[in-house]
Amino acid sequence: MLLSLNWLREFVPYKGTAEELGDHLTMLGLEVEEIVHPFHEIREMILGRVLTCEDHPDSDHLHVCTVDLGTEEPATIVCGAPNVAKGQLVVVAPVGSTMPGGFQIKKAKLRGVPSHGMICSEREMGLSEDHSGILVLPETDRHGNPFKTGTSFVEAMEMDTEVLDISITPNRADCLSVLGIARMVAASYKLPLTLPQIELAEQGADCSHEYPIEIKDTDFCPCYSGRVIENCITEKSPYWIRYRLVAVGLRPISNLVDITNYILMELGQPLHAFDAETLKGSKIIVQSAKEEQKFTTLDGQERTLKESDGLICDAENAIALAGVMGGLATEISDTSKKVFLECALFKPARIRRTARRLGLSSDSSYRYERGVDQEGMAFALDRAAYLMQIYAKGTVRKGICKSEPKPFSPVKIIFRPSRPEFVLGVPVSEEFCEKTLLALDCKIEKTSKDTWTVYAPGRRYDLTREADLVEEIAIFNGIDNMPATLPKLSQTLDTCGDPEGRHHFIMRAKNFLAGLGMNEAINYSFVGNKDLDTLNLPQEDRVNIINPLSAEQDVLRTHLAAGILQSVRQNIAHGANGLRLFEIAHTFHKDSQSETTVKERLHLIFALYGNRYDDAWRNGEEEVDYADLRGFVDHFIADFLHIDAMQVQKCASHPYLSPAVELSAAQGQVIGVMGRVQKNIADEYYAKKPVWIADLELDTLEELSLGRKPGFTPLAVYPAVRRDITFICPQDMPIKTVLDAIYQNKGKFFTEAELRDLYIPKDSSERNLTFRLTFQSPDKTLEDKEVDKEREKITQAVIKTLGIRM
């Protein structure tokens, strides 16, 4: 946001310097990045009066002029502009001055005639691209006072010589205008705020029903209004409007368009001027676009729209891409005389989605994306109509065309005056809280001694809860004045039992995994398309970076494996013989239905490699395998999330794992995959031993764990009795099938079963599975006959159910 200091002073009587204001705004949360001087290069230009203008004796296009520069003797200047004439008030670069670009004006002879200066055009001064002739100034300034020759051009035009470049955070849409920042300055300095005066003279018949407005999606467009201005003269804007727009980075076009841009910067309300004579059927319709509908915007580009995009239409055609850019067919031209001036409010999320998808960011969409003040729409519309009345000689028709299906309703916040002092740890009086909130235009109802009801103004989208009000009070109290001591934290039982936040859940998970002896890996969200191609991952859902830092970081990761394998390679390159890594992070997938066009999913990934044990005396050189990976996953799911046992099913194929198994919850949701990285892929990451990976959908797992609480079972007092049993099964029968059969036929003393041994005889289609069954009673010591009876019952039931033998 570029803020002109002169423009600001038209709203508040601020007397300090730009540097002092910049420091003050920064402490208010509006960081000033720099102070620029947009007209510094033309500071030496002065006003001059052409006294005589004669043809050059030795040229068919040059003119010899004598120009009054406010000195005793007029200066002779040779000028080649076709529009130079006697009596004009012009801008002169005198001898010794420097033009934009570094060219220095010196005494010279042009075809034998001395020339002492240069009469300038707007293009030569960097004010516009107009080079049709020299700049001819009016006789009086904007206040009606006559100009004096010899005075500084910049000072005479009251140009904005100091402009603050302010970084506005996305939640402070109210500060995307001169008025918005003026409100903050007035509140913090306790200065009066003066709004521009409007003397609107409406004429003619009431036009409020001339353009009936139909809003088909009231959630997208809560309010739409417009005014009709007739008999306009389309021409250049007054110099002070043109140069003010240049100072804040906008390009002047014509008076009608410039006025809408002027209001945009002054009041923060986007407006759009339609050539009313091009509208069909005298009707305005706000609706969604049709899928694959074509529309040509003001920049001449044909856009392909989606159903989520909003359109402004007349009775026959689309005339504007709502909140983003107008249409080419209804743009203001040099012949436009009748204007329909639009002032609307749109849902920020949909404007943001449209602008980002089309890569079409405009000053209007930038503000609509963050929120526009519904309460201030009427004032902005009248202010623009008034300026068109003055500077385009327009006739403003009586009445306003308006449809407001959702009138403004202020946000109601319950506020405790004692809360700021409790949160900030410094004394904050109730009186100061009240003055601060009133200075921010909040309305206060003191519903009780300890509680107020505060109504936030429509422009403050960031004020939605008590903590937001506390923040504002802290800022106005002076964050830089707060002592550098840690505030007292009082733990209470007020939040006991509240749902766990995402951040707390992730931190608990990380601490749990670190407790298992794993090391956390933290990787960039950016990877290379080459990395994803190496893992044989699809290209359809990739989100490519328009301006990547490097070819190795040109796409957002769609799988965490792309990053964790780089961590494996880095550690192997540094001599690591064994790795136990995990990472909790988001993956990113293209999604046209999402507000940001990107869908994010939280994942947890494990990566095991190399030695099972650390290099130390008596530790064997065993390698990690599937059992280690399965153990970590089972431990996390059962002991951290307290989720029922997962289902495991072999994958027919997987992009980068082989073999691989798919993990499912008892309810059927897919929760992840685990397996061994394919050897050819592992070789790309310097892995000479198998790399085992498990990728879990942490979003889904968190949902499944909600409401689950660990329970306590008293420790057994009486000893357990164990019996081993061996079943001879077909090799293709899963071990889980046998375990399920054991558990389905358990008796009252049975507690658990586990696989203890597996043997496959040579040249046999069967294998021997040995299970250890545990029996225990909470009331007594079991006798052998009781255990043997229950063991035999389980054995016979499993044999009968599965058709296997012992």
Side-chain angles (χ1 to χ4, degrees):
M1 170 68 191
L2 294 176
L3 172 70
S4 162
L5 186 58
N6 285 349
W7 205 345
L8 176 74
R9 285 173 171 154
E10 293 180 7
F11 287 85
V12 288
Y14 172 74
K15 301 298 183 182
T17 65
E19 289 75 14
E20 292 170 344
L21 179 62
D23 293 340
H24 189 73
L25 289 177
T26 298
M27 298 313 301
L28 292 176
L30 307 174
E31 183 179 358
V32 176
E33 296 185 349
E34 63 174 330
I35 299 174
V36 297
H37 304 276
F39 304 113
H40 180 72
E41 290 186 321
I42 60 172
R43 67 191 183 283
E44 297 175 306
M45 310 301 173
I46 60 176
L47 302 187
R49 173 81 65 183
V50 180
L51 301 177
T52 64
C53 179
E54 300 176 354
D55 292 338
H56 193 287
D58 195 23
S59 173
D60 58 355
H61 69 282
L62 294 178
H63 303 86
V64 180
C65 305
T66 55
V67 183
D68 177 11
L69 299 180
T71 57
E72 292 182 0
E73 296 292 331
T76 301
I77 299 177
V78 177
C79 177
N83 65 326
V84 65
K86 178 182 177 181
Q88 291 174 337
L89 188 66
V90 295
V91 183
V92 177
V95 173
S97 62
T98 303
M99 298 292 293
F103 177 72
Q104 190 172 18
I105 302 297
K106 300 178 181 179
K107 293 180 180 180
K109 279 189 177 183
L110 297 179
R111 297 195 179 184
V113 177
S115 182
H116 301 86
M118 176 179 176
I119 303 176
C120 303
S121 67
E122 283 195 336
R123 184 179 184 182
E124 289 165 336
M125 292 187 289
L127 298 177
S128 74
E129 291 301 314
D130 185 6
H131 59 284
S132 59
I134 59 170
L135 174 62
V136 181
L137 299 176
E139 293 298 321
T140 59
D141 62 18
R142 57 184 296 195
H143 309 293
N145 302 316
F147 287 121
K148 294 182 180 180
T149 58
T151 58
S152 167
F153 169 62
V154 171
E155 293 179 2
M157 297 293 109
E158 299 180 76
M159 289 185 171
D160 301 295
T161 54
E162 294 178 297
V163 175
L164 288 76
D165 187 354
I166 305 174
S167 178
I168 307 295
T169 53
N171 65 322
R172 292 305 305 271
D174 63 298
C175 290
L176 289 172
S177 66
V178 179
L179 175 59
I181 298 178
R183 286 191 175 109
M184 293 293 292
V185 173
S188 60
Y189 280 110
K190 299 179 177 58
L191 297 173
L193 179 71
T194 304
L195 293 179
Q197 294 297 315
I198 299 175
E199 299 177 5
L200 194 62
E202 296 180 311
Q203 302 179 37
D206 191 330
C207 68
S208 56
H209 301 292
E210 188 171 316
Y211 291 90
I213 298 168
E214 179 184 356
I215 301 176
K216 294 189 176 181
D217 186 350
T218 58
D219 182 54
F220 169 61
C221 180
C223 182
Y224 188 100
S225 58
R227 274 192 175 275
V228 178
I229 301 98
E230 298 177 332
N231 304 319
C232 295
I233 299 174
T234 306
E235 58 186 3
K236 271 188 175 184
S237 298
Y239 67 87
W240 63 270
I241 290 182
R242 296 204 313 272
Y243 299 156
R244 178 157 281 178
L245 292 178
V246 170
V248 296
L250 296 180
R251 179 174 61 90
I253 299 174
S254 66
N255 53 355
L256 296 176
V257 177
D258 291 349
I259 286 170
T260 62
N261 288 332
Y262 188 88
I263 298 300
L264 175 77
M265 301 304 298
E266 182 182 60
L267 306 180
Q269 172 64 56
L271 303 171
H272 187 73
F274 295 103
D275 187 335
E277 294 178 351
T278 65
L279 301 181
K280 309 295 183 183
S282 297
K283 185 177 184 181
I284 302 295
I285 305 171
V286 183
Q287 61 185 13
S288 297
K290 297 177 181 178
E291 198 70 22
E292 301 299 319
Q293 181 176 346
K294 306 294 184 182
F295 179 71
T296 303
T297 48
L298 278 173
D299 56 3
Q301 299 294 317
E302 185 179 71
R303 313 283 178 176
T304 301
L305 308 182
K306 292 188 174 293
E307 195 172 347
S308 60
D309 301 328
L311 282 179
I312 310 299
C313 306
D314 58 20
E316 299 179 11
N317 305 305
I319 57 175
L321 189 55
V324 180
M325 187 174 285
L328 185 63
T330 57
E331 73 170 332
I332 296 294
S333 67
D334 293 342
T335 60
S336 298
K337 294 183 178 180
K338 184 177 180 181
V339 173
F340 180 81
L341 183 61
E342 171 198 86
C343 181
L345 177 67
F346 301 109
K347 185 177 181 180
R350 286 186 59 178
I351 301 300
R352 186 183 308 117
R353 188 183 304 126
T354 297
R356 290 190 179 183
R357 184 179 59 79
L358 296 176
L360 189 61
S361 180
S362 63
D363 290 299
S364 294
S365 68
Y366 187 82
R367 285 156 177 80
Y368 275 128
E369 289 173 18
R370 288 154 177 78
V372 171
D373 181 14
Q374 187 170 352
E375 288 185 296
M377 290 174 60
F379 181 80
L381 186 61
D382 287 349
R383 168 77 166 149
Y386 170 67
L387 292 179
M388 289 183 181
Q389 170 186 298
I390 299 300
Y391 298 110
K393 306 298 188 295
T395 301
V396 181
R397 291 277 299 277
K398 291 181 180 178
I400 298 177
C401 306
K402 184 176 181 180
S403 175
E404 191 172 17
K406 290 187 175 182
F408 171 73
S409 177
V411 175
K412 184 171 73 172
I413 305 170
I414 303 301
F415 176 73
R416 293 164 288 179
S418 60
R419 191 65 178 170
E421 183 170 333
F422 176 81
V423 173
L424 303 175
V426 296
V428 181
S429 67
E430 183 175 318
E431 180 185 7
F432 182 80
C433 294
E434 183 176 6
K435 286 183 177 179
T436 300
L437 296 179
L438 291 175
L440 295 174
D441 290 341
C442 294
K443 296 179 181 178
I444 301 174
E445 289 182 4
K446 297 184 179 181
T447 49
S448 69
K449 180 181 179 181
D450 301 322
T451 304
W452 298 349
T453 300
V454 179
Y455 297 91
R459 62 180 179 275
R460 293 301 299 268
Y461 284 74
D462 59 317
L463 301 182
T464 59
R465 53 182 181 163
E466 185 181 42
D468 299 327
L469 301 180
V470 172
E471 180 184 12
E472 293 300 312
I473 291 169
I475 290 173
F476 279 82
N477 189 51
I479 293 179
D480 53 333
N481 297 326
M482 296 176 64
T485 57
L486 291 175
K488 180 182 178 181
L489 297 178
S490 300
Q491 294 289 344
T492 67
L493 297 178
D494 294 343
T495 59
C496 183
D498 287 353
E500 182 181 41
R502 168 59 65 87
H503 175 74
H504 188 243
F505 170 78
I506 292 175
M507 294 308 298
R508 279 202 310 114
K510 289 182 177 181
N511 290 332
F512 181 86
L513 294 169
L516 295 182
M518 305 199 78
N519 296 306
E520 182 182 5
I522 301 177
N523 292 292
Y524 288 114
S525 300
F526 305 115
V527 296
N529 273 292
K530 182 180 178 181
D531 297 315
L532 301 181
D533 292 339
T534 300
L535 299 178
N536 302 314
L537 296 172
Q539 298 186 2
E540 291 76 20
D541 65 340
R542 298 183 189 178
V543 181
N544 289 288
I545 309 302
I546 296 177
N547 297 309
L549 296 175
S550 67
E552 290 74 28
Q553 294 182 332
D554 60 354
V555 65
L556 288 170
R557 62 189 174 203
T558 56
H559 283 67
L560 296 187
I564 202 79
L565 285 173
Q566 291 182 12
S567 298
V568 169
R569 175 168 55 192
Q570 189 76 4
N571 280 272
I572 292 175
H574 283 77
N577 294 319
L579 297 172
R580 295 185 293 272
L581 302 178
F582 79 90
E583 183 176 11
I584 297 177
H586 285 93
T587 59
F588 305 88
H589 311 268
K590 186 181 295 184
D591 182 10
S592 59
Q593 301 304 315
S594 170
E595 177 182 331
T596 61
T597 70
V598 178
K599 178 176 66 177
E600 299 184 29
R601 295 291 296 174
L602 186 66
H603 280 250
L604 162 63
I605 194 168
F606 298 92
L608 306 181
Y609 169 80
N611 295 344
R612 176 174 290 140
Y613 306 110
D614 294 333
D615 293 334
W617 182 66
R618 297 191 65 183
N619 282 350
E621 293 187 359
E622 301 177 16
E623 293 182 6
V624 293
D625 55 22
Y626 173 78
D628 296 275
L629 185 66
R630 176 69 183 268
F632 280 118
V633 173
D634 283 350
H635 202 27
F636 180 77
I637 290 177
D639 297 336
F640 178 74
L641 299 172
H642 309 292
I643 297 176
D644 298 335
M646 59 186 177
Q647 309 295 321
V648 180
Q649 183 177 0
K650 187 175 181 180
C651 296
S653 63
H654 190 272
Y656 58 88
L657 298 178
S658 180
V661 295
E662 185 179 79
L663 311 178
S664 302
Q667 296 85 345
Q669 299 99 319
V670 175
I671 59 175
V673 65
M674 59 183 179
R676 184 180 63 194
V677 178
Q678 296 171 14
K679 187 177 184 306
N680 62 316
I681 296 177
D683 289 343
E684 295 285 334
Y685 296 93
Y686 306 161
K688 304 305 180 184
K689 300 175 182 179
V691 181
W692 299 90
I693 280 183
D695 187 359
L696 305 182
E697 291 268 1
L698 204 51
D699 279 324
T700 304
L701 290 171
E702 183 185 12
E703 292 174 7
L704 293 173
S705 69
L706 293 176
R708 293 181 177 269
K709 297 180 180 179
F712 174 75
T713 302
L715 298 176
V717 176
Y718 298 95
V721 180
R722 295 174 177 84
R723 294 286 189 271
D724 290 351
I725 183 171
T726 299
F727 293 107
I728 302 174
C729 314
Q731 288 194 26
D732 59 353
M733 178 176 288
I735 296 172
K736 186 176 184 303
T737 302
V738 183
L739 282 171
D740 289 343
I742 293 173
Y743 277 93
Q744 289 170 5
N745 295 283
K746 66 182 181 179
K748 64 179 180 178
F749 299 130
F750 172 86
T751 57
E752 66 173 340
E754 60 177 334
L755 179 68
R756 299 294 294 179
D757 194 17
L758 184 152
Y759 172 69
I760 302 177
K762 186 178 180 180
D763 300 328
S764 174
S765 62
E766 298 178 319
R767 60 180 178 175
N768 299 350
L769 303 178
T770 299
F771 297 91
R772 176 162 292 174
L773 280 57
T774 302
F775 303 89
Q776 196 170 26
S777 171
D779 305 319
K780 63 177 182 176
T781 300
L782 295 176
E783 298 181 1
D784 287 343
K785 62 180 181 180
E786 293 176 304
V787 174
D788 292 340
K789 179 180 179 182
E790 191 162 317
R791 172 186 177 277
E792 184 64 22
K793 178 182 176 182
I794 292 174
T795 302
Q796 295 304 319
V798 172
I799 292 174
K800 182 179 180 181
T801 302
L802 302 180
I804 56 178
R805 57 194 176 89
M806 293 181 61

